[in-house]
C-alpha cells in the first residue's frame, strides 16, 4: 500500500499487526513507518544502517513482516543463510498466509541444506504457490535447483 502511495491504507494494515495489548497508537505507527522507510532508503547505500533500522522496527513491532523480509534480504545477500532462514521462519510464524514468507523459507532452506532439505523446500514452494499463484514463476528456479540437487 505504501509503494502505491496509499499511506492511510498502509497505516490501517500496520495497525492490525500490532500486538493486541498495544492498541491503536498513531504516534507509534508513524514512528514504525518512518523507521521502516528509512531502512528501505538505506538498503543500497548503507546496509548496516538499514539492518539497524529494521531491527528498531522489530523492537517496536515484532510482527512487522516487511522488516523481517528486509533482514532476510540483507542476510541472504551477504551469504548469511542461517540468519536468512531464521528471519524467514519468523515471517512464516508471523503470517502463515504470506506467500513471500514461504518462498523465502524455501530459498533459505535450499541454500543451507541442499538435497537434505529438498522435500521441505519443495513443500514451502507449494505453500507459496497455493497462497499466490504468481509465485509459480518465482519458485521455478528453486525447483530447478532442487532437481539438480536430486540428480
Amino acid at each position: 500500500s505504501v509503494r502505491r502511495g496509499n499511506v492511510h491504507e498502509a497505516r490501517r494494515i500496520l495497525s492490525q499487526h500490532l500486538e493486541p495489548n498495544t492498541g491503536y497508537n498513531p504516534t507509534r505507527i508513524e514512528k514504525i513507518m518512518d523507521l521502516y522507510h528509512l531502512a528501505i532508503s538505506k538498503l543500497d547505500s548503507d546496509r548496516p544502517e538499514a539492518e539497524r533500522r529494521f531491527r528498531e522496527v522489530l523492537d517496536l513491532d515484532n510482527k512487522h513482516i516487511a522488516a523481517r523480509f528486509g533482514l532476510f534480504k540483507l542476510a541472504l545477500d551477504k551469504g548469511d543463510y542461517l540468519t536468512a532462514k531464521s528471519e524467514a521462519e519468523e515471517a512464516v510464524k508471523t503470517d502463515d498466509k504470506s506467500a513471500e514468507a514461504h518462498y523465502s523459507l524455501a530459498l533459505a532452506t535450499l541454500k543451507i541444506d541442499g538435497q537434505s532439505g529438498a522435500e521441505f523446500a519443495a513443500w514451502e514452494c507449494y505453500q507459496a504457490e497455493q497462497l499466490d499463484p504468481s509465485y509459480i514463476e518465482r519458485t521455478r528456479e528453486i525447483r530447478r535447483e532442487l532437481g539438480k540437487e536430486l540428480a
Side-chain angles (χ1 to χ4, degrees):
S1 293
V2 172
R3 286 190 180 147
R4 291 187 299 244
N6 191 340
V7 175
H8 296 295
E9 178 66 7
R11 283 189 180 127
R12 185 191 65 74
I13 291 168
L14 182 58
S15 71
Q16 291 175 345
H17 292 284
L18 295 176
E19 294 181 36
N21 60 354
T22 62
Y24 179 76
N25 181 333
T27 305
R28 183 168 179 261
I29 291 170
E30 193 69 38
K31 182 175 182 177
I32 290 168
M33 288 180 67
D34 288 347
L35 285 169
Y36 177 73
H37 289 292
L38 181 58
I40 291 295
S41 74
K42 297 292 184 181
L43 271 175
D44 292 326
S45 62
D46 187 352
R47 288 176 169 267
E49 178 67 11
E51 183 175 347
R52 275 192 295 281
R53 298 305 179 173
F54 283 133
R55 293 200 185 286
E56 286 182 44
V57 168
L58 290 170
D59 286 345
L60 292 169
D61 177 10
N62 69 356
K63 296 182 185 302
H64 195 287
I65 197 165
R68 291 263 175 234
F69 293 142
L71 290 174
F72 169 83
K73 179 177 178 8
L74 288 169
L76 193 69
D77 288 351
K78 67 181 177 184
D80 183 357
Y81 302 131
L82 290 174
T83 298
K85 186 174 182 181
S86 176
E87 293 300 340
E89 288 169 339
E90 288 299 318
V92 170
K93 286 180 195 172
T94 299
D95 183 1
D96 67 350
K97 301 293 186 218
S98 166
E100 183 68 17
H102 289 281
Y103 169 79
S104 298
L105 186 52
L107 184 58
T109 298
L110 175 64
K111 296 287 188 184
I112 293 170
D113 299 328
Q115 183 177 0
S116 66
E119 188 175 327
F120 181 76
W123 172 251
E124 292 300 322
C125 285
Y126 172 78
Q127 293 288 352
E129 294 163 359
Q130 292 302 302
L131 290 165
D132 183 346
S134 71
Y135 273 76
I136 291 172
E137 282 299 313
R138 293 184 71 191
T139 59
R140 184 170 287 139
E141 184 62 30
I142 293 175
R143 291 185 184 285
R144 202 172 293 128
E145 288 298 315
L146 289 173
K148 289 178 191 173
E149 291 286 336
L150 295 173

